[in-house]
Structures are given as structure tokens and as C-alpha cells.
Amino acid sequence: MDKYGLIGYPLGHSFSISYFNQKFADENIDAEYVNFEIPSIDQLQEILDTTPELCGLNVTIPYKEKVIPFLDSVTPEAQAIGAVNVIRVTHEGRKVKLKGYNSDVIGFTQSIEPMIDKKWHHKALVLGTGGASKAITYGLKSLGIEPVYVSRYQRPGTIQYEQITPEIVKEYNVIVNCTPVGMYPHVDECPLLPYEAMDSHTILYDLIYNPDETLFMKKGKEHGADVKNGLEMLLLQAFASWEMWHGK
């Protein structure tokens, strides 16, 4: 039986495990998807050694960047992003080869593109600076939108939340939340932004999908913003993962 899995730490509720095992059951595919909760990326080798039937992995926080040195090859796109969230595992005799991909960018761009109006949307605020936000900025650039990172801390090339004025929100009217702020069970939290400056030309995209509507989305919606959560992105990523594991 082929095996696929997810590496990360900690792994609580995982979209991938339920999605793929349901897919395998529905399509009579002789395979299983398992969660590999590893406190250190160094344990990846142990997974490879003890799971000879492994065909592919998804990678989640905090290992999207840390996994790259363990791979034999990385696609140019994942290299440019600097983060990997899909690994294709192939067996050449006794050798195991690992190839890294990034499906975040595909899932995100396909999901947000219908919301974008080239007349109004030219600049974006990307909340957070982790592995996911790198894919998001890459995706935004590919759609012709100029992104800026927003961080809680003073970092080169970022702006801080307290510096975001109503004028900035009007100019950077695509806002993507790549942080866990507002995720269940902390549903009463949201990024600190001047929501009152938002209007019908504002897009709020939240990578969180639990709850369905985060406070970030709710507050934007109250001022007419167009909002979307990350569930569609996850589905599109899952389709892309399967293609990456089985493509040429």
C-alpha cells in the first residue's frame, strides 16, 4: 500500500489527512495518508528509513524552509519562494530521492485571481513573514500586484502594524492574513488594522479556514470589503500536491 503524509509540529486538526483518506476511499486507491508529527526536522530521515512505501509528503509549519537542505532537488519556483510544502519521494534501487515543490502559490493565485480587478488592485499588505507569506508574495507579484510584508517586529523590508494608517489601507487595498491570529479557538482576535478605512474595493483574504469567517473577515465585511477564507486554497493545493506526486 502506498503511503503519503504530512510533516510538521505540532499537528492538530489537519485538512490533508481527512481530504486524502476520503479521496482514497472514494476512488478505490490502495493508499493511506498519515500525520508525522516530528519535533525536529532531523527526524525526516527516520520517517524515510521506516516507511519504504512512502510516495509523497506535504510540509507544514515550522518546516517549509527548514526542509530544503534535506532535498535532492527543488523546482525553480519553490527555490525562488524559499519554501517547500510538497515533496515527491521516488525510489531508485536502494536510493530515496526527494524533490521539493510549492503548491501554496498555485492554490493561492487560483483562489484570489477572480477577486482582483486590475483597475483597482495594485498593491497588497501581506500580514506575517513566514514560509506561507513568501509564497503569497510570489503569487501576488505573478498577478501584477506589489506586496509589502507587515510584521510585529522591526525587520528590513517590512512595515509594522502601528504604522498602518487609513491612507495605507486605501492604497494597499488587497490584504492577506498569513498569521494564525483569529484561528480557532482564538476567534475573538484579529490583526490590528484600521478596518474603518476599508470599502468595496478592499479585498481581505485569510489563509485561516477555521472558523469559516474570522473576525478579520467579519470586520472588513462590515465596511463592504470582499472577503474569502483559505479553504478553497487548501483544496486547490491538495489537487496540486497529487499532480506533483504523480506528474512527470
Side-chain angles (χ1 to χ4, degrees):
M1 182 191 285
D2 288 345
K3 270 213 175 135
Y4 301 86
L6 173 68
I7 58 168
Y9 189 84
L11 294 178
H13 170 74
S14 156
F15 171 85
S16 301
I17 194 168
S18 47
Y19 170 82
F20 280 110
N21 284 323
Q22 189 63 54
K23 175 186 171 71
F24 298 154
D26 292 346
E27 299 178 27
N28 290 321
I29 297 169
D30 187 25
E32 181 190 17
Y33 192 101
V34 294
N35 279 351
F36 296 104
E37 191 172 53
I38 51 173
S40 163
I41 191 61
D42 296 328
Q43 288 172 276
L44 173 61
Q45 191 56 52
E46 196 182 316
I47 293 167
L48 298 170
D49 292 343
T50 57
T51 322
E53 60 278 46
L54 194 64
C55 300
L57 289 167
N58 289 119
V59 185
T60 190
I61 46 180
Y63 301 135
K64 290 186 182 190
E65 293 145 301
K66 292 178 185 170
V67 77
I68 293 173
F70 292 80
L71 307 176
D72 296 291
S73 60
V74 174
T75 63
E77 191 173 59
Q79 192 81 54
I81 293 162
V84 159
N85 73 325
V86 179
I87 300 171
R88 182 176 178 175
V89 182
T90 52
H91 302 266
E92 298 172 11
R94 295 179 67 177
K95 273 189 175 173
V96 178
K97 294 276 185 188
L98 305 179
K99 183 171 184 179
Y101 301 79
N102 191 300
S103 67
D104 279 340
V105 70
I106 298 168
F108 172 69
T109 50
Q110 288 180 357
S111 182
I112 200 170
E113 193 168 17
M115 302 172 80
I116 289 166
D117 183 336
K118 290 280 195 275
K119 184 180 168 189
W120 295 106
H121 302 123
H122 307 286
K123 294 181 178 182
L125 297 176
V126 177
L127 312 183
T129 55
S133 64
K134 289 181 174 180
I136 298 315
T137 57
Y138 186 94
L140 287 166
K141 284 176 185 171
S142 76
L143 296 171
I145 292 173
E146 181 194 319
V148 170
Y149 287 117
V150 181
S151 174
R152 285 177 297 168
Y153 312 105
Q154 292 283 345
R155 287 181 179 157
T158 69
I159 62 169
Q160 282 59 57
Y161 287 92
E162 59 271 19
Q163 294 170 341
I164 299 172
T165 60
E167 291 72 30
I168 287 175
V169 165
K170 294 278 187 206
E171 188 183 353
Y172 292 80
N173 57 1
V174 178
I175 304 176
V176 186
N177 180 34
C178 304
T179 77
V181 175
M183 188 158 66
Y184 181 85
H186 304 289
V187 295
D188 55 347
E189 295 175 9
C190 66
L192 296 168
L193 298 166
Y195 291 90
E196 69 283 357
M198 296 175 185
D199 57 29
S200 60
H201 299 310
T202 312
I203 293 172
L204 294 192
Y205 194 104
D206 203 330
L207 267 56
I208 294 169
Y209 61 95
N210 183 17
D212 286 341
E213 188 175 73
T214 57
L215 188 56
F216 167 71
M217 292 165 64
K218 212 173 277 181
K219 288 178 84 157
K221 212 167 155 185
E222 282 168 9
H223 296 280
D226 193 8
V227 304
K228 198 181 232 186
N229 72 16
L231 187 60
E232 183 185 48
M233 176 178 162
L234 278 171
L235 276 167
L236 292 164
Q237 280 175 282
F239 299 154
S241 293
W242 189 251
E243 294 299 316
M244 289 162 176
W245 291 330
H246 297 277
K248 288 174 184 172

